[in-house]
Amino acid sequence: MSAVTTEGILRGSRLSVTASRRRILDLFLEKDIALSHQDIEAVTSGSFDRVTVYRTLQTFLEKGLIHTVPSSDNVVRYALCKDACAEGHHHDDHVHFVCDSCGATTCIDEVSIPPIRLPGGYRVRQIGMVVNGTCGRCG
Amino acid sequence: MSAVTTEGILRGSRLSVTASRRRILDLFLEKDIALSHQDIEAVTSGSFDRVTVYRTLQTFLEKGLIHTVPSSDNVVRYALCKDACAEGHHHDDHVHFVCDSCGATTCIDEVSIPPIRLPGGYRVRQIGMVVNGTCGRCG
DNA sequence: ACGATATTGCAACAAAGTTGCAGAACAAAG
DNA sequence: CTTTGTTCTGCAACTTTGTTGCAATATCGT
C-alpha cells in the first residue's frame, strides 16, 4: 500500500489531472478536516472560478473521493474518503466530530458507530453520527 | 401536565400570539415530522411573507420551541422540542430518522443515543444521530 | 504533435437567506 | 373598550449560494 498522495488519488480516479483538482485535493490532504465550498473558496480565493469549485466537488463526490458530512447548520462539508470507499458506494460509518471552539470538522475513523435498535417497522440502511465538543487542540 | 396545544406552547413561550406563529406551530404539531423552511412555504404558500417564516423559525429556535435536525443535504430542518428543552439549552439526544422513500424526517424519542468513547483529547458535549432507511409507513 | 474528449471560465440566471424600515397587530393597563 | 408602548409583519432591496449553457482551453492516448 503506497502513501496517499494527490497525484496517486487523481491517477486512480481516472479523472483528468488539472490544476484545480490537484489544488483542491491537496487542501483536503493537507488540512485533514472537512471543508465546505466556502472554506475552499476562502483559501484559493480567485485562483479558480466559483463554478469550477462546485463542479470539482461534485465530481469528487461521484467518483467516491470525498463524502458529505452531516451537519446541523446549513453548510455542506466534504471530507476525504479513506480506502474503503468506492464509486457510488460509501463506507462512511465513522463518527464525525465538530469542535465548538475551532469549528473544525474531523472524521474519527477509529471509532465506528454503535449498532442501534429502532422500534418495529423501521428498516435501517445507514447511520450517521455527529459529535459536538472540544477537540484535542482546543480542549 | 396538560395536553400539548398550539395555544399552550405559545402562551408558555412568552411570545405574542400571532396568526403566523399559530399556523407554523400548528403545522409542527399536526405533521409531527421535521419541517424545512421550504416545506412550510409550500403548505402556507403565500399566506405569510417569506421573511416572516424565516423570522418565526429563528424566534422559535431561540425560545427553545424547536431544534434543528442534522442532515446530509444542505437543507435545515426543524422539529418540535419535547418537554425537556429549555431556552438556549436543548435536550436533544434522541435519534433522527430520515425515510429514503417518503423523505420524512422524524424524531424517535424512544431511542436514546448510545454513549460513545472517543480517543483521548476529545471532550464530548452533545451527540447527534441520523438514521437513514425506510419508515413503518413505507417499509 | 494531433485529434477526440473532458474541463474550465464566463455570463446569465435561479434560489435561498438577510436587513432596515414604516405600518399594523398585539398586550397590558386604565 | 380605548389608549399606549412594544412587538411583529410585509415590503423592497440586497447579498449569498448554487445552477446551466456555451465557447475556449487544457488534457490524454496514440
Side-chain angles (χ1 to χ4, degrees), chain A:
Chain A
M1 174 179 166
S2 59
V4 177
T5 65
T6 307
E7 297 294 332
I9 295 177
L10 278 179
R11 299 280 166 143
S13 73
R14 302 195 141 279
L15 289 170
S16 301
V17 177
T18 68
S20 46
R21 287 178 180 166
R22 204 163 10 214
R23 184 71 210 289
I24 292 176
L25 204 43
D26 266 349
L27 270 182
F28 279 110
L29 281 168
E30 169 195 322
K31 301 260 183 184
D32 198 36
I33 63 175
L35 300 173
S36 65
H37 170 91
Q38 195 177 229
D39 293 335
I40 295 172
E41 281 268 301
V43 178
T44 64
S45 75
S47 310
F48 318 108
D49 196 85
R50 247 157 33 85
V51 178
T52 299
V53 177
Y54 279 118
R55 289 201 267 228
T56 301
L57 289 171
Q58 190 55 39
T59 304
F60 284 179
L61 250 189
E62 284 162 6
K63 289 292 173 180
L65 302 189
I66 58 179
H67 61 269
T68 59
V69 178
S71 75
S72 289
D73 52 19
N74 51 350
V75 180
V76 190
R77 265 170 275 262
Y78 305 88
L80 264 192
C81 289
K82 306 301 154 103
D83 310 316
C85 290
E87 190 164 336
H89 189 72
H90 286 289
H91 183 72
D92 189 18
D93 58 355
H94 55 269
V95 172
H96 291 102
F97 189 91
V98 180
C99 179
D100 297 329
S101 174
C102 67
T105 301
T106 45
C107 296
I108 306 192
D109 299 290
E110 302 91 324
V111 181
S112 57
I113 296 177
I116 203 167
R117 269 198 79 76
L118 293 188
Y122 289 101
R123 188 162 310 183
V124 175
R125 179 179 56 79
Q126 196 191 62
I127 306 182
M129 200 160 189
V130 184
V131 180
N132 292 272
T134 43
C135 70
R137 255 192 296 270
C138 297

Side-chain angles (χ1 to χ4, degrees), chain B residues 38-60:
Chain B
Q38 195 178 229
D39 294 335
I40 295 171
E41 281 270 299
V43 178
T44 64
S45 74
S47 310
F48 317 108
D49 195 86
R50 249 160 29 84
V51 178
T52 299
V53 177
Y54 280 118
R55 289 200 267 228
T56 301
L57 289 172
Q58 189 56 39
T59 303
F60 284 180

Side-chain angles (χ1 to χ4, degrees), chain B residues 5-25:
Chain B
T5 65
T6 306
E7 296 295 332
I9 295 178
L10 277 180
R11 298 281 166 142
S13 70
R14 303 195 142 277
L15 290 170
S16 300
V17 177
T18 68
S20 47
R21 288 179 180 166
R22 203 165 10 217
R23 184 73 211 287
I24 292 177
L25 204 44

Side-chain angles (χ1 to χ4, degrees), chain B residues 2-136:
Chain B
S2 59
V4 178
T5 65
T6 306
E7 296 295 332
I9 295 178
L10 277 180
R11 298 281 166 142
S13 70
R14 303 195 142 277
L15 290 170
S16 300
V17 177
T18 68
S20 47
R21 288 179 180 166
R22 203 165 10 217
R23 184 73 211 287
I24 292 177
L25 204 44
D26 266 348
L27 271 182
F28 278 109
L29 280 167
E30 168 194 322
K31 301 260 181 181
D32 199 33
I33 63 176
L35 300 173
S36 65
H37 170 90
Q38 195 178 229
D39 294 335
I40 295 171
E41 281 270 299
V43 178
T44 64
S45 74
S47 310
F48 317 108
D49 195 86
R50 249 160 29 84
V51 178
T52 299
V53 177
Y54 280 118
R55 289 200 267 228
T56 301
L57 289 172
Q58 189 56 39
T59 303
F60 284 180
L61 251 190
E62 284 162 6
K63 289 292 174 181
L65 302 189
I66 59 180
H67 61 270
T68 60
V69 178
S71 76
S72 290
D73 52 18
N74 51 351
V75 181
V76 192
R77 265 170 275 264
Y78 306 87
L80 263 192
C81 290
K82 306 298 154 105
D83 310 316
C85 289
E87 191 164 337
H89 189 73
H90 285 290
H91 184 73
D92 188 17
D93 58 355
H94 56 269
V95 173
H96 291 102
F97 189 90
V98 181
C99 179
D100 297 328
S101 175
C102 66
T105 301
T106 46
C107 296
I108 306 191
D109 299 291
E110 303 90 325
V111 181
S112 56
I113 295 178
I116 204 167
R117 268 199 80 75
L118 294 188
Y122 290 101
R123 187 162 310 185
V124 175
R125 178 179 56 81
Q126 195 191 63
I127 305 182
M129 201 158 188
V130 184
V131 180
N132 292 272
T134 43
C135 71

